Amino acid sequence: LTRVLPCSLQPMRRWQRLGLVAAAVAVAWGMCLSFPSTPRAGDAVLWMPAGSLMLVALYLLLRLIHGILSFPSCPHEGRALQQDIRQAMDELAAAGFDMHPR
């Protein structure tokens, strides 16, 4: 049996955590905008969201590159896949499909 926890004791879901963090960042950014400062600092605050997006894009690009460089190669799985492809091609040829059109 599963117990139903009251709302206050249920673990937060990922979208809830992300929403909470986004709201906190938005409030902090709004507070930075509301305080009087030098024009140069105000410009920096205005460009913070764009800079944050660029940092996230850079992070994702680096994660992608790392994933590509560290992707495990499995020679035995490659051979098994080639064998499955040959078997499927033979079955299709037996069923009358021409696998090498002219």
Side-chain angles (χ1 to χ4, degrees), residues 25-40:
V25 168
V27 167
W29 184 66
M31 288 176 60
C32 287
L33 282 176
S34 66
F35 290 125
S37 61
T38 63
R40 186 174 181 142

Side-chain angles (χ1 to χ4, degrees), residues 1-7 9-10:
L1 294 173
T2 59
R3 278 183 42 192
V4 177
L5 297 173
C7 290
L9 297 178
Q10 289 182 354

Side-chain angles (χ1 to χ4, degrees), residues 78-92 99:
R79 287 190 294 274
L81 180 60
Q82 289 295 329
Q83 183 179 0
D84 289 344
I85 291 172
R86 269 189 249 109
Q87 180 182 357
M89 289 179 73
D90 292 343
E91 289 174 6
L92 286 172
M99 297 305 296

Side-chain angles (χ1 to χ4, degrees), residues 61-99:
L61 179 65
L62 291 175
R63 289 280 310 253
L64 177 66
I65 291 171
H66 176 264
I68 290 171
L69 292 177
S70 64
F71 188 77
S73 60
C74 302
H76 61 281
E77 291 295 331
R79 287 190 294 274
L81 180 60
Q82 289 295 329
Q83 183 179 0
D84 289 344
I85 291 172
R86 269 189 249 109
Q87 180 182 357
M89 289 179 73
D90 292 343
E91 289 174 6
L92 286 172
F97 288 95
D98 186 13
M99 297 305 296

